[in-house]
Amino acid sequence: MGLEGRLLNFGCLLCVRNMVKLIHTLADHGDDVSCCAFSSSLLASCSLDKSIRLYSLSDFAELPHSPLKFHTYAVHCCCFSPSGHVLASCSTDGTTVLWSAHSGHTLTVLEQPGGSPVRVCCFSPDSAYLASGAADGSVVLWNAQSYKLYRCGSVKDSSLVACAFSPDGGLFVTGSSGGDLTVWDDRMRCLHSEKAHDLGITCCSFSSQPLSGGEQGLQSYRLASCGQDCEIKLWIVSFTHVLGFELKYKSTLSGHCAPVLACAFSHDGQMLASGSVDKSVIIYGIGTQSVLHTLTQHTRYVTTCAFAPNTLLLATGSMDKTVNIWQFDLETPCQGSMNDQLKHFIEDWSEEDVSVWLRAQGLEDLVGIFRVNNIDGKELLHLTKESLAGDLKIESLGLRNKVLRSIEELRTRMDSLSSGIPDEFICPITREVMKDPVIASDGYSYEREAMESWIHKKKRTSPMTNLALPSLVLTPNRTLKMAINRWLETHQK
C-alpha cells in the first residue's frame, strides 16, 4: 500500500499497530520452513531440512525431545490430532509418520501406496482418520487407531497438494496442482470436482464455524482455497443426505501480487490469514472481506500460516528458515484512549504526510503554501480560519473553508473512534459510517455514492492503494450492511 492509501486509512493502520505484534521468531531450521501447526499447548514446524521441531506455547522453548528425525527427505506437512496427543508428518520419502507429541516416540510409519512423495496430511475432527495426499494424485484414508489403510482414491494427471476436513467430519476436500478442488465423503466417494484455480491450488482450509442453513438438515461451511493464480477464493460447501451436495463460489479476496501458498482460518472463523510469494502475510476480516493487517517481516516466500485453537496466536513460516509468532491484542482498538492515540498519530505526520493528505482531499494547490510554512501534523490540527487567512495568506474563502472542513473530518474521525464505532464500518473515502456499502475490485468496502463519485473523478484507481482497479464493478456488501444496522440499533438507543 502506498503512502496515500496508508494515510487515507490511518485509523486502520493505528489498529494494526495496536492489535497485532510479532512476539517471537524461531530460527532453528536449517532450510525452508514448509508447514507449521498448533495444538492447545504446542507448536510444530517442519522443514526441507528433514526435521520436525516442537515448541511449548508457554515460553516458545523447544521441547527436550525435539527435533524429531526419521524422514530421509524433505518434510512437507505436519498436523496435530484434535486431542493434540499425536503429531503426523509427511515427506518426499513417501511416508507419513505418526509421533507421540509429548514424548517424540514414533508410533507408526505409513507408506503411501506406490511410494510417491507425500505432500499433505490432515486428521479428521474425531481423530478416526488421517488423510494423506501424494504427488502421483493418490489420496489415502488411514484408520488413525489401527494404523491400517481404510480406503484410497486418486485424481488424474495432478499432484495432491492440499487437504482439509469439514468441521463435522462428513466430508473432506483435496486440492491439486492442476487446479481442481475435489470433495470426498467419509467413504471415499468423489462427490464433486471443480476447476478452482487456473494455475494450480496450493492450500485449502475450512472454517471451524458452520453456517446456518435455510433448510432443515442442511450443513454449510465456509471453505477458502488459494493458488498459483495469486487469488484466494471463498466457497460455501453444503451437504445433506436429503438435498445432496453443493460447492458454491462466493467471492475472491485480493491483496497479494504473487502466488498465494497458504491460507488458514482463525478458530472463530472471523479472520483468514494467507502467505504469499510476495513475502507478505495478509489477514482478512471475513465479515467485511477487507484487509485487516499486512505483515511483511519475512524476507522470502511465506509458505505456511496457522492459527492457534484457543489463543489469539498466528504462526507464519517462510523460506527464510524462520517461524514468526504473532499475537493479537484482546482489547477493542477503538475504546478508551484511542482518541488520544489517534491524535498523537496525526501529530506525528511529517510535512510530506500532510502534503499527501492535502492531495487526497483535492487540495493540491495548497501543497506549496503548507510546505513553505512548515505545516506538519501538529500544526495542521491547530489551524484556524484566522491563521489560514493571516499566516498562510490563503485568500480564497472557499479554499479556507474546504481546509477547515477537512480538518474537522479528522477531528470527527477521532471522536468516532473514541466512541467505539468499528473501523470497518467507516468508509475510507468519506470517513463516515456507511449506509450502502459496496465492495470494489480492490477488495475494500466503500460507501456506494462516494465510490461512484471517486471512479467518475479518478477513473480506475483504488482510493486505498492508488493502483489501477481491475474492474469498475461494485458489489453490494449486504453482510457488512446488516452488521452496521445491528450495531446502530444497539448503540443509538
Side-chain angles (χ1 to χ4, degrees):
M1 183 181 293
L3 183 60
E4 180 173 346
R6 179 172 63 85
L7 294 176
L8 278 171
N9 199 31
F10 63 85
C12 189
L13 177 61
L14 185 61
C15 289
V16 171
R17 283 182 174 179
N18 288 338
M19 287 189 67
V20 62
K21 59 184 178 181
L22 178 62
I23 62 171
H24 206 89
T25 296
L26 304 171
D28 300 308
H29 283 294
D31 208 332
D32 303 355
V33 175
S34 51
C35 186
C36 53
F38 282 99
S39 72
S40 59
S41 60
L42 300 176
L43 170 68
S45 62
C46 60
S47 167
L48 302 193
D49 67 9
K50 311 175 189 177
S51 73
I52 305 100
R53 292 183 179 269
L54 288 169
Y55 304 88
S56 168
L57 293 189
S58 61
D59 56 4
F60 299 108
E62 189 166 7
L63 299 188
H65 54 270
S66 176
L68 308 181
K69 293 185 176 180
F70 172 89
H71 293 292
T72 55
Y73 290 99
V75 184
H76 297 290
C77 182
C78 61
C79 61
F80 285 99
S81 65
S83 68
H85 298 316
V86 180
L87 176 70
S89 62
C90 59
S91 166
T92 299
D93 63 17
T95 67
T96 302
V97 178
L98 299 188
W99 312 80
S100 167
H102 299 291
S103 70
H105 292 150
T106 302
L107 301 177
T108 190
V109 178
L110 307 173
E111 296 185 1
Q112 195 79 3
S116 181
V118 186
R119 300 297 186 189
V120 65
C121 58
C122 62
F123 282 96
S124 64
D126 60 1
S127 297
Y129 300 107
L130 175 74
S132 63
D136 62 359
S138 65
V139 56
V140 177
L141 272 187
W142 304 90
N143 185 308
Q145 278 72 50
S146 66
Y147 308 145
K148 302 295 185 182
L149 189 152
Y150 173 62
R151 294 180 187 273
C152 60
S154 65
V155 297
K156 293 182 178 180
D157 303 323
S158 295
S159 297
L160 276 182
V161 294
C163 183
F165 276 91
S166 63
D168 67 351
L171 53 84
F172 69 99
V173 173
T174 58
S176 76
S177 60
D180 292 329
L181 276 177
T182 303
V183 186
W184 313 78
D185 67 10
D186 56 4
R187 294 187 179 183
M188 209 67 194
R189 295 177 297 190
C190 179
L191 302 176
H192 182 81
S193 187
E194 179 167 330
K195 190 79 167 183
H197 295 268
D198 288 337
L199 303 178
I201 292 171
T202 54
C203 188
C204 61
S205 174
F206 270 104
S207 170
S208 63
Q209 303 301 313
L211 302 174
S212 57
E215 296 89 353
Q216 185 177 4
L218 179 65
Q219 289 290 331
S220 297
Y221 305 96
R222 186 176 280 114
L223 173 74
S225 65
C226 56
Q228 300 285 351
D229 56 6
C230 312
E231 293 186 341
I232 303 166
K233 293 185 178 181
L234 295 180
W235 312 78
I236 301 299
V237 178
S238 302
F239 179 75
T240 172
H241 293 294
V242 177
L243 299 175
F245 170 83
E246 181 182 40
L247 175 66
K248 185 177 181 182
Y249 165 77
K250 293 298 292 183
S251 59
T252 297
L253 302 179
S254 61
H256 288 295
C257 59
V260 185
L261 303 181
C263 61
F265 280 101
S266 60
H267 183 63
D268 62 4
Q270 297 303 305
M271 293 185 291
L272 180 77
S274 60
S276 169
V277 169
D278 64 17
K279 307 176 188 177
S280 74
V281 176
I282 295 180
I283 302 170
Y284 301 87
I286 293 302
T288 61
Q289 298 191 17
S290 60
V291 175
L292 301 179
H293 315 284
T294 301
L295 313 176
T296 57
Q297 277 70 10
H298 285 295
T299 58
R300 294 194 66 197
Y301 301 172
V302 181
T303 54
T304 179
C305 52
F307 281 97
N310 300 319
T311 58
L312 286 175
L313 293 177
L314 171 70
T316 59
S318 167
M319 290 175 66
D320 63 15
K321 307 178 187 178
T322 68
V323 176
N324 283 335
I325 313 298
W326 307 86
Q327 186 175 52
F328 293 81
D329 192 345
L330 287 171
E331 295 180 4
T332 303
C334 298
Q335 291 180 348
S337 61
M338 178 57 72
N339 191 36
D340 291 336
Q341 294 179 40
L342 183 56
K343 180 180 178 181
H344 291 319
F345 177 65
I346 298 172
E347 288 179 342
D348 286 341
W349 283 5
S350 66
E351 294 174 19
E352 178 59 30
D353 290 343
V354 172
S355 297
V356 172
W357 175 79
L358 285 170
R359 294 188 187 97
Q361 307 304 311
L363 296 167
E364 298 89 348
D365 295 342
L366 299 182
V367 169
I369 295 175
F370 273 61
R371 282 183 171 174
V372 168
N373 288 273
N374 304 117
I375 303 298
D376 57 15
K378 184 175 292 187
E379 294 291 335
L380 179 70
L381 289 176
H382 290 86
L383 289 176
T384 63
K385 61 181 180 181
E386 290 78 16
S387 61
L388 289 172
D391 298 333
L392 272 61
K393 310 298 184 185
I394 299 177
E395 297 180 357
S396 168
L397 176 63
L399 276 178
R400 293 201 301 269
N401 288 338
K402 188 170 183 180
V403 171
L404 290 174
R405 284 197 301 270
S406 297
I407 293 173
E408 185 59 31
E409 287 178 6
L410 288 180
R411 297 191 178 110
T412 300
R413 177 67 180 137
M414 296 180 198
D415 295 338
S416 296
L417 283 172
S418 63
S419 67
I421 298 175
D423 189 75
E424 60 266 29
F425 295 174
I426 305 294
C427 172
I429 300 174
T430 66
R431 309 314 304 172
E432 296 177 354
V433 177
M434 288 180 277
K435 297 178 181 178
D436 185 15
V438 294
I439 303 172
S441 59
D442 61 359
Y444 292 93
S445 291
Y446 306 91
E447 179 65 43
R448 179 185 291 278
E449 184 177 348
M451 190 59 188
E452 289 176 344
S453 176
W454 178 277
I455 291 173
H456 177 71
K457 293 178 181 178
K458 304 289 183 177
K459 298 183 179 179
R460 297 182 67 101
T461 61
S462 162
M464 295 298 288
T465 67
N466 209 32
L467 299 175
L469 291 169
S471 167
L472 300 183
V473 174
L474 301 178
T475 305
N477 193 336
R478 297 185 177 88
T479 302
L480 178 57
K481 185 175 183 179
M482 290 172 60
I484 293 173
N485 290 339
R486 285 196 298 268
W487 189 92
L488 291 175
E489 290 173 0
T490 303
H491 291 80
Q492 292 191 351
K493 292 180 179 180

